[in-house]
Amino acid sequence: MAIDPTDPRSPSRQIADELREEITSGRLAPGDALPSEKMLVGRFGTAPATARQAVRLLKEEGLVVAERGKGVYVKRQPPTIRLGSHRFSRQTRAEGKSAFEAEIERQGLEWGQEVLELAEVPAPEWVAEWLGVDAGATVFVRRRRNLVGDTPTQLADSYYRLDTVEDTAIRTPDTGPGGSYARLEEKGLTLERFREEIRIRMPTPTEVQGLRLTPGTPVAELRRIAFGASGPLEVLESVVSGDSHVFCYEFAAPE
Amino acid sequence: MAIDPTDPRSPSRQIADELREEITSGRLAPGDALPSEKMLVGRFGTAPATARQAVRLLKEEGLVVAERGKGVYVKRQPPTIRLGSHRFSRQTRAEGKSAFEAEIERQGLEWGQEVLELAEVPAPEWVAEWLGVDAGATVFVRRRRNLVGDTPTQLADSYYRLDTVEDTAIRTPDTGPGGSYARLEEKGLTLERFREEIRIRMPTPTEVQGLRLTPGTPVAELRRIAFGASGPLEVLESVVSGDSHVFCYEFAAPE
DNA sequence: AAGTGGTCTAGACCACGAT
DNA sequence: TCGTGGTCTAGACCACTTC
């Protein structure tokens, strides 16, 4: 139970491994408090900073989360949001629901959205390339934050060519029933296929704040391009917290 | 350039933000060395541990990587491996290439694979469910590690029902040309569709070692089920390093 | 030998939560 | 008020790399 000086692992590693074992074995369940720093010092006989280092390792692994003035707790699993290709069903749009909304309600969760910015901006390089416009051309961007319950789970920026969204509710805070895709189809711009790319990384400090992420939570960066008959209609970049999302895809075996 | 005591950010945050700005602005390019701990102490006038704390924040963000006895360097972008639905083309199998192999060679990279274990094991719960066998039933598992160049990038465990792989090279170290999917099709088990789920998390210490991950690198956990006409043929669980992979999917707009 | 990061000791003060 | 974690000071020793 104490530190073994002959062990090749450093003391902080030994403490971290011991606590991790208690977590994975279930002796410490999600929501349970870890021993406080002082208790670890007493139990293992190290300096406070060494006990802290051990707890920090577990935080970096995303196993535990500290709450200021209270203690360090084994992370609870947040409700999982499944993001799948069935999001883009025309049928759900007909029912007046957006892709995100449909996905959340299908799972019986509450839903919310904040519009952060509506603006005309110079297109970032990759957006210009995907939208098929000149580098630096002006495009319309819709930045928003999606909420499940009262916790933000997704930052999403949609980019459009100016002529695509001309005279549509996509340029206004409320896009109306069925969301922006419904507005595009009303204009005769039928969505035919999608391409998505998912990258994985640690969040920037801005994203940590915007998504209220706890340390040790990675994010997925999703880029989507929605194609109509005549070319790309929307390019989306979205950052979602990794601990509450699963991406699901189904596809037939190609030739 | 020094610490501002009136700044609400803690000194280590101020140093980290300053260094991050130098990285994102390009003044410190990928591969460049950060100022050493002692230089940071001289420049900002803090205790060594405070400078260390700043560097640790950047490591947790995955922006920098420390090399023992040398210094701390801005991370280089490793070559990106695109994992897309076109991996499973029957045509590439006909050319004698496995899904992974095809993907790598398409990008002009070198390829390797180590078989870690071939065994009959009791099915983990989710595998039993996906394969459609009883919980705890015996299944065949093929554990392997994929390499690009000499760096491991992917740990992959494939599970099969015993009757599926009976009398096939899938039970042997070398599955032969076209990989295991080619062997299944030779048996008349045609692959018809796939379902994939991607989760994002921080790696376990075992995975850090197995994939030679640097601190601050998240991983993706990919679960795939391959369906034949008569039901599931293979269930795969794969862990891939987040900093060298992009997942790509294309799909038509569903009804 | 000199420089680097990794870890540790042994304290200190602060902000915050619970009582 | 007391216990908690968050941050800091001011050193120390070690393992490793480079010269």
Side-chain angles (χ1 to χ4, degrees):
Chain A
M1 194 75 13
I3 296 300
D4 175 3
T6 70
D7 195 312
R9 296 171 303 165
S10 68
S12 59
R13 273 313 271 259
Q14 291 181 46
I15 299 175
D17 288 352
E18 165 74 20
L19 292 175
R20 188 186 308 101
E21 203 280 325
E22 291 187 21
I23 293 169
T24 53
S25 75
R27 286 203 297 285
L28 281 173
D32 284 358
L34 257 61
S36 77
E37 181 182 309
K38 279 190 178 119
M39 295 189 64
L40 290 175
V41 167
R43 179 160 141 198
F44 292 96
T46 67
T50 306
R52 292 191 66 70
Q53 162 81 351
V55 175
R56 174 165 42 233
L57 290 171
L58 298 177
K59 281 191 264 191
E60 284 170 26
E61 289 174 40
L63 281 178
V64 302
V65 57
E67 290 178 36
R68 242 231 169 58
K70 295 172 72 178
V72 179
Y73 299 88
V74 180
K75 256 194 203 174
R76 298 170 187 278
Q77 294 300 85
T80 298
I81 302 163
R82 301 178 76 83
L83 296 175
S85 38
H86 50 281
R87 271 173 295 174
F88 305 106
S89 161
R90 205 159 286 137
Q91 193 185 323
T92 55
R93 278 201 291 287
E95 292 166 9
K97 292 176 187 171
S98 73
F100 183 78
E101 197 175 0
E103 190 59 31
I104 301 304
E105 295 197 351
R106 229 174 50 84
Q107 298 177 50
L109 299 172
E110 302 251 336
W111 180 86
Q113 188 177 73
E114 301 165 26
V115 174
L116 304 176
E117 189 184 8
L118 301 169
E120 294 184 4
V121 296
E125 192 179 342
W126 70 274
V127 171
E129 191 183 323
W130 282 29
L131 268 188
V133 299
D134 293 334
T138 300
V139 294
F140 185 77
V141 63
R142 227 185 122 77
R143 293 187 212 280
R144 54 207 188 277
R145 179 158 76 163
N146 290 323
L147 307 158
V148 172
D150 59 353
T151 57
T153 60
Q154 194 173 133
L155 301 169
D157 300 344
S158 290
Y159 296 88
Y160 306 90
R161 276 172 31 200
L162 292 181
D163 58 343
T164 305
V165 293
E166 205 172 29
D167 300 322
T168 69
I170 295 173
R171 297 194 57 130
T172 68
D174 183 1
T175 52
S180 51
Y181 288 177
R183 296 296 84 70
L184 292 176
E185 301 218 322
E186 281 170 2
K187 260 186 102 167
L189 300 169
T190 308
L191 296 165
E192 299 199 332
R193 61 194 178 86
F194 300 90
R195 176 177 172 79
E196 295 196 341
E197 289 188 0
I198 299 171
R199 287 177 213 327
I200 294 150
R201 57 175 172 79
M202 296 309 286
T204 64
T206 311
E207 290 162 351
V208 168
Q209 207 173 27
L211 293 173
R212 284 199 232 128
L213 299 174
T214 57
T217 305
V219 295
E221 184 180 289
L222 171 72
R223 288 181 180 179
R224 177 168 67 230
I225 179 164
F227 291 96
S230 58
L233 292 177
E234 180 212 37
V235 168
L236 172 129
E237 179 169 60
S238 170
V239 176
V240 305
S241 75
D243 63 2
S244 54
H245 290 82
V246 185
F247 294 92
C248 306
Y249 296 93
E250 295 203 38
F251 48 92
E255 280 317 303
Chain B
M1 193 76 13
I3 296 300
D4 175 4
T6 70
D7 195 312
R9 297 172 303 166
S10 69
S12 59
R13 273 317 268 257
Q14 291 181 45
I15 299 175
D17 288 352
E18 166 73 20
L19 292 174
R20 188 186 309 102
E21 203 280 325
E22 291 187 19
I23 293 169
T24 52
S25 76
R27 286 201 298 283
L28 283 172
D32 284 358
L34 257 62
S36 77
E37 180 182 311
K38 280 190 177 120
M39 293 189 63
L40 290 174
V41 166
R43 179 159 141 198
F44 292 96
T46 67
T50 305
R52 292 191 67 70
Q53 162 81 351
V55 175
R56 174 163 45 232
L57 291 172
L58 299 178
K59 281 192 263 192
E60 285 171 27
E61 288 174 40
L63 281 179
V64 302
V65 57
E67 291 177 37
R68 241 204 148 83
K70 295 172 71 179
V72 179
Y73 299 87
V74 180
K75 256 195 204 170
R76 295 170 190 279
Q77 292 301 84
T80 298
I81 302 163
R82 301 178 76 84
L83 296 175
S85 39
H86 50 281
R87 272 174 296 176
F88 306 106
S89 160
R90 205 160 286 135
Q91 192 185 324
T92 55
R93 277 200 292 286
E95 293 165 10
K97 294 178 185 168
S98 72
F100 183 75
E101 197 175 358
E103 189 60 31
I104 300 305
E105 296 196 352
R106 228 175 49 83
Q107 299 176 49
L109 300 171
E110 302 251 336
W111 180 84
Q113 186 176 73
E114 301 165 26
V115 174
L116 305 176
E117 189 184 9
L118 301 169
E120 293 185 2
V121 296
E125 192 178 341
W126 70 273
V127 171
E129 191 183 322
W130 282 29
L131 268 187
V133 300
D134 292 335
T138 300
V139 294
F140 184 77
V141 64
R142 218 183 132 76
R143 292 187 213 282
R144 55 205 188 279
R145 180 159 75 163
N146 290 325
L147 307 159
V148 171
D150 59 352
T151 56
T153 60
Q154 192 172 134
L155 301 169
D157 300 343
S158 289
Y159 297 88
Y160 305 90
R161 277 172 32 199
L162 293 181
D163 57 343
T164 304
V165 293
E166 205 172 28
D167 301 321
T168 69
I170 295 173
R171 297 194 58 129
T172 69
D174 183 1
T175 52
S180 51
Y181 287 177
R183 297 294 85 70
L184 292 177
E185 301 217 322
E186 280 170 3
K187 263 185 98 167
L189 300 169
T190 307
L191 296 164
E192 300 200 331
R193 61 194 179 86
F194 299 90
R195 177 179 171 78
E196 295 196 340
E197 289 188 1
I198 299 171
R199 286 176 175 71
I200 294 151
R201 58 174 171 79
M202 294 311 285
T204 65
T206 310
E207 290 162 351
V208 169
Q209 208 171 27
L211 294 173
R212 283 199 232 130
L213 299 174
T214 56
T217 305
V219 295
E221 184 180 290
L222 171 72
R223 289 181 178 178
R224 177 168 67 230
I225 179 164
F227 292 96
S230 58
L233 292 177
E234 180 213 38
V235 168
L236 172 128
E237 180 171 61
S238 170
V239 176
V240 305
S241 75
D243 62 4
S244 54
H245 291 80
V246 186
F247 295 93
C248 306
Y249 296 94
E250 293 203 40
F251 47 93
E255 281 315 304

